[in-house]
Amino acid sequence: MRTGSVHRKTSETSIDVELNLDGTGIYKVSTGIGFLDHMMEQLSRHSLIDLDLKAIGDLHIDQHHTTEDSGIAIGEAFSQALGERKGITRFGTAYAPMDETLTRVSLDISGRPFFVWKVKLDNPRLGEWDTELIEHWFHSFSQSAGLTLHVENLYGSNNHHIVESCFKGLARALRQALEIDPRKADSIPSTKGTLGGG
């Protein structure tokens, strides 16, 4: 089993993450931000990554630190669970429809973080979550997980649907990229012999 565990504590947040990349999509999530919880549940269920996340943050100030640090901690646990990245398919692309909305997510578990976000949201909040922080969560996760990540909403009008399709697309692309390639199960999928660096 590919598992990771991270405890991240700062003066602003205390985050505990345990995850299993070879799980069945079981989750236990508590961040104090309802819509973020909902998205983490979607991420776990549709990627089949078991996720236990508990975040306590300075929500009396705002949601920025809790959002950012949860993305960082999940990314760190993800990278830890991958280890040397032997045998993974490495690349994943998913189209996630939700009613009138369609989003495309493409990623490379490259070890070289790079993030592209082509998503426009016109509501300032979803539930109590500031929508400007959604891009920040994806950026924080991709940086600490070592992902090249492209998220593009192709069309849609309902902000809830757009955001949920982004997370579901990420989940399905991760599920694809994390699969072990039976033809190359013992090798790192790179001509360099390592994933990461330049």
Side-chain angles (χ1 to χ4, degrees), residues 8-9 19-20 25 118 128 141 165 174:
R8 177 183 173 84
K9 184 171 179 61
L19 57 76
N20 178 5
K118 294 188 176 181
E128 73 276 25
F141 172 71
S165 70
L174 284 172

Side-chain angles (χ1 to χ4, degrees), residues 4 15-31 36-45 47-54 70 73-75 77-78 137 141:
I15 315 281
D16 288 287
V17 177
E18 291 184 11
L19 57 76
N20 178 5
L21 302 181
D22 300 306
T24 57
I26 298 170
Y27 52 81
K28 182 179 179 183
V29 175
S30 175
T31 66
L36 176 57
D37 287 356
H38 182 44
M39 292 302 99
M40 295 302 94
E41 293 165 359
Q42 298 297 327
L43 179 65
S44 171
R45 175 61 57 88
S47 66
L48 299 184
I49 296 171
D50 292 345
L51 176 64
D52 192 326
L53 167 65
K54 183 176 182 181
S70 67
I74 293 170
F78 179 89
W137 185 92
F141 172 71

